[in-house]
Amino acid sequence: GTLIYHFEGHDDKITGMLWLGPDTFCTASFDSTVIFWDALNGVSTCVMKLQHEINQMMKLDDRLYCLCNYKELNVINIPKKEIELRIEFSEHTITSILATRNWFLFGDSYSHLYSIKQEDLWVSSPKLERRPEEQSEEEEHLGHEGWIIKMFTDDKFIYTCSDDKTIKIWLVDTS
């Protein structure tokens, strides 16, 4: 094919890319930035600097969920381009994240899959830093024999893959 645009803006490797709309996408990087791009004109429209390298990124509705330094979750309001929530996971090394309408799930380096209700992530002052292991109930599932590398959902099942070379499929609890 023919190259149409060449985008540059990050100072380190790019760790995530998500399409946001008909002419907009965003990228995340180990340089601690999220860049919003105008795909039609080939230029960046906004650069957000976070505190740590970004390991993984996902989108749910108008929010980006960014896993930083394997220890911190930043939730970004896409239309406002601002951080709504920052959570530090001091007791875990987070290797994968997944947000659904009802649940926030994360896998850790000890082969566990955790789930926290979405409503338990949010507080009245959304910029307040929280430690979920201290302030909300989390449910733990032994999932793999290695790091959970990636998770996906189709709202009926959760699919996890691991460096233990296995893929597991979990039925979504709708309660």
Side-chain angles (χ1 to χ4, degrees):
T2 303
L3 178 66
I4 299 171
Y5 291 114
H6 176 97
F7 296 86
E8 289 186 29
H10 288 290
D11 295 327
D12 206 336
K13 65 180 165 183
I14 296 171
T15 56
M17 181 174 159
L18 295 170
W19 201 255
L20 302 176
D23 58 358
T24 306
F25 69 95
C26 68
T27 53
S29 169
F30 265 26
D31 67 6
S32 305
T33 62
V34 174
I35 300 180
F36 295 85
W37 301 93
D38 177 335
L40 298 178
N41 295 305
V43 297
S44 66
T45 59
C46 178
V47 177
M48 292 186 69
K49 182 78 171 167
L50 304 183
Q51 292 180 354
H52 302 287
E53 66 198 33
I54 302 167
N55 309 104
Q56 209 176 98
M57 175 177 64
M58 68 151 306
K59 178 184 179 293
L60 178 66
D61 299 325
D62 282 342
R63 293 188 172 113
L64 291 178
Y65 291 73
C66 297
L67 174 61
C68 299
N69 202 32
Y70 298 106
K71 292 282 186 189
E72 183 178 278
L73 175 71
N74 286 270
V75 181
I76 297 171
N77 179 302
I78 296 170
K80 294 180 180 178
K81 309 286 190 291
E82 66 181 33
I83 296 172
E84 287 185 322
L85 181 66
R86 180 177 291 122
I87 302 172
E88 183 182 334
F89 296 93
S90 60
E91 301 296 318
H92 304 281
T93 299
I94 308 303
T95 58
S96 185
I97 59 173
L98 176 65
T100 69
R101 302 233 186 285
N102 297 318
W103 296 94
F104 174 72
L105 298 101
F106 62 95
D108 73 5
S109 59
Y110 294 104
S111 311
H112 296 100
L113 176 62
Y114 295 89
S115 58
I116 303 172
K117 289 186 177 182
Q118 274 282 0
E119 64 222 31
D120 291 342
L121 289 177
W122 301 93
V123 293
S124 59
S125 176
K127 295 197 185 269
L128 181 66
E129 294 188 17
R130 298 187 63 217
R131 299 186 193 302
E133 60 268 37
E134 296 172 358
Q135 297 184 16
S136 67
E137 292 182 32
E138 51 185 48
E139 187 176 334
E140 176 184 332
H141 309 279
L142 184 58
H144 288 273
E145 294 179 18
W147 283 31
I148 297 173
I149 303 299
K150 200 75 171 165
M151 294 186 282
F152 301 95
T153 187
D154 60 8
D155 293 326
K156 184 175 180 183
F157 299 102
I158 296 168
Y159 307 85
T160 60
C161 59
S162 169
D163 67 356
D164 67 7
K165 300 178 254 154
T166 66
I167 299 164
K168 297 196 178 193
I169 301 174
W170 308 78
L171 185 61
V172 172
D173 180 6
T174 57
S175 59

